[in-house]
Amino acid sequence: MANFMFPPQGFGPGTQPAAEDGEELDYLAMPSGMQTFSPHIPYLEDPAAAQGAVAFLSELADKASAWTVSGGAQAATYDHLDSTNQGVLREVLGEGEVSIVIEYPKRVEVQESVFTGVWRIMRNGREHIEIGAIPDAVLMAPQVHLSDLPQPGPGVVNAPAIITEILDQVENPQGDSHVINLTLLPHTPQDLDYLDVVLGRGGVTILSRGYGNCRIDRCAHPHIWRVRYYNSQDILILDTIEITDIPDVACAAPEDIRDAASRLKNVSEALT
């Protein structure tokens, strides 16, 4: 019997034979390159010429401080500013992690600013600002219901069971979001093709570039979302279907909006 004071033989690094031909384990690359907040304060030769932008930033800070979850998004327009002040404002707001495209009924483009929860909304050639967890335009979805399901073709195995689970959650919501992890479920390529046909497209695409990439697509029914996570090499690492009003990953957290309020106030004071 070996002495218990000494470790057993044949275990640990260097005890196993090396792989042939120099082979090494090939680990899947994890997401990297997470963005962090970095305020940009433009240099102003004449600070007095940008007082309109400063006042508007202070107004946004007040709206962000007053924002509540139950109150919905707070809108603000800056059409009254001249081109110089609008340029300063756009330079300060910059581009954040989240971009949204809404295809219909009319195309709307949304870009989050570097201040979390402060959204730049472009509609019909005009831009305005909204402060909130998610812009109102994303929530204004047409009421489409899944019906007349096509017959599954050859190779479709588990998709009908997944669709049954989805429809049950849509018709009998439990309050919290319901997530179906396709990555962990057995399925065939034909299953995924059938799911794409049945779920359809809802005309809303959200791209979050916070930690790797996350692509969120609304399906034909406004409460069904396809959420896909990619690593920094654009390799799909997680594929899910969420039944909810809006996936949490797409929304700005209340504490982040409170931080945005103080940061907006600090930037507006730095410009004076």
Side-chain angles (χ1 to χ4, degrees), residues 63-148:
K63 287 181 177 293
S65 297
W67 177 85
T68 60
V69 175
S70 59
Q74 301 289 319
T77 59
Y78 56 91
D79 292 344
H80 60 284
L81 299 179
D82 59 26
S83 58
T84 299
N85 280 274
Q86 290 190 19
V88 171
L89 181 62
R90 293 192 181 100
E91 191 173 354
V92 170
L93 293 178
E95 293 187 359
E97 299 175 351
V98 182
S99 302
I100 306 173
V101 174
I102 303 170
E103 296 293 347
Y104 61 82
K106 290 186 178 181
R107 184 178 176 88
V108 179
E109 297 179 358
V110 180
Q111 175 62 56
E112 188 181 34
S113 72
V114 295
F115 304 93
T116 305
V118 180
W119 308 87
R120 301 170 56 185
I121 319 294
M122 177 65 70
R123 188 200 312 261
N124 298 328
R126 301 181 62 185
E127 182 176 301
H128 72 277
I129 307 297
E130 286 189 19
I131 297 174
I134 198 75
D136 284 341
V138 178
L139 302 176
M140 297 172 63
Q143 296 297 314
V144 180
H145 298 279
L146 303 178
S147 61
D148 299 328

Side-chain angles (χ1 to χ4, degrees), residues 132-228:
I134 198 75
D136 284 341
V138 178
L139 302 176
M140 297 172 63
Q143 296 297 314
V144 180
H145 298 279
L146 303 178
S147 61
D148 299 328
L149 302 182
Q151 290 296 319
V156 176
V157 180
N158 290 324
I162 296 174
I163 293 170
T164 298
E165 180 179 352
I166 293 172
L167 294 178
D168 179 66
Q169 291 296 323
V170 168
E171 296 171 0
N172 304 286
Q174 303 300 315
D176 297 329
S177 63
H178 182 78
V179 180
I180 299 174
N181 191 336
L182 297 178
T183 303
L184 298 180
L185 291 176
H187 55 71
T188 65
Q190 292 82 0
D191 281 327
L192 296 180
D193 293 340
Y194 184 70
L195 283 173
D196 288 338
V197 172
V198 171
L199 297 180
R201 296 291 304 276
V204 176
T205 299
I206 305 173
L207 178 63
S208 175
R209 299 177 297 274
Y211 191 57
N213 287 328
C214 177
R215 180 186 174 98
I216 306 169
D217 292 292
R218 192 184 66 194
C219 299
H221 193 286
H223 299 295
I224 303 176
W225 301 81
R226 189 75 175 270
V227 183
R228 300 178 178 94

